[in-house]
Amino acid sequence: MPGLDATRPFIPVGIAILTVSDTRTLADDKSGDTLQARILDAGHTLVDRAIVTDDKALIRARVEAWTKQDDIDVVITTGGTGFTGRDVTPEALEPLFEKKMDGFSEVFHRISYDKIGTSTIQSRATGGVANATFIFVLPGSPGACKDAWDGILKGQLDYRHLPCNFVEIMPRLDEHLKRGQPAS
């Protein structure tokens, strides 16, 4: 059965939050606030938080810069995953992925389906790894952020979570580069 092994130590990870929106500011960013509160409550470190407009180049540049920071292990974005013309977060970030995490989207939609039914198909939530950094692309609603954190990320970002978790594989995310072999 999955669960927490209390004999293992908690290992905090460094996380950055990017809100993608043409209209929000830090003062009214409920989704970013939701993620920040959950990250800090879990004992992790919020390294940075920013807001950028729905612009592919700006989104990609901010996230790519964060993936190059040694103190950031995880980037979580919120917003821009729908189907309207301004929803470009997956297009901005998926080209950065060295490995795409199909299971993240599938589990997110399963959790979301239980709450909002077939409306979950209106999200293109995705995840992947770039520069040995996990990237999770979430919808812009606080409810979606709660679902992703509570249902997936809280457990996977906790070293005590068994049978496996993201924290235990973080040191090996760039092992192909350390051996001098290009990623294929």
Side-chain angles (χ1 to χ4, degrees), residues 11-25:
I11 300 173
V13 298
I15 303 175
I17 300 169
L18 181 66
T19 298
V20 178
S21 175
D22 289 334
T23 59
R24 293 186 195 161
T25 66

Side-chain angles (χ1 to χ4, degrees), residues 67 72-74 98 129-134 170 172-174 177:
T67 68
I72 295 177
D73 304 298
V74 177
E98 295 154 10
V129 177
N131 294 321
T133 305
F134 286 105
M170 283 179 179
R172 298 182 6 236
L173 290 177
D174 62 354
L177 301 174

Side-chain angles (χ1 to χ4, degrees), residues 103-122:
F104 175 78
S105 178
E106 293 164 4
V107 173
F108 173 79
H109 285 295
R110 177 65 185 98
I111 292 167
S112 183
Y113 181 81
D114 288 342
K115 302 209 174 149
I116 63 170
T118 60
S119 294
T120 189
I121 66 172
Q122 293 191 29

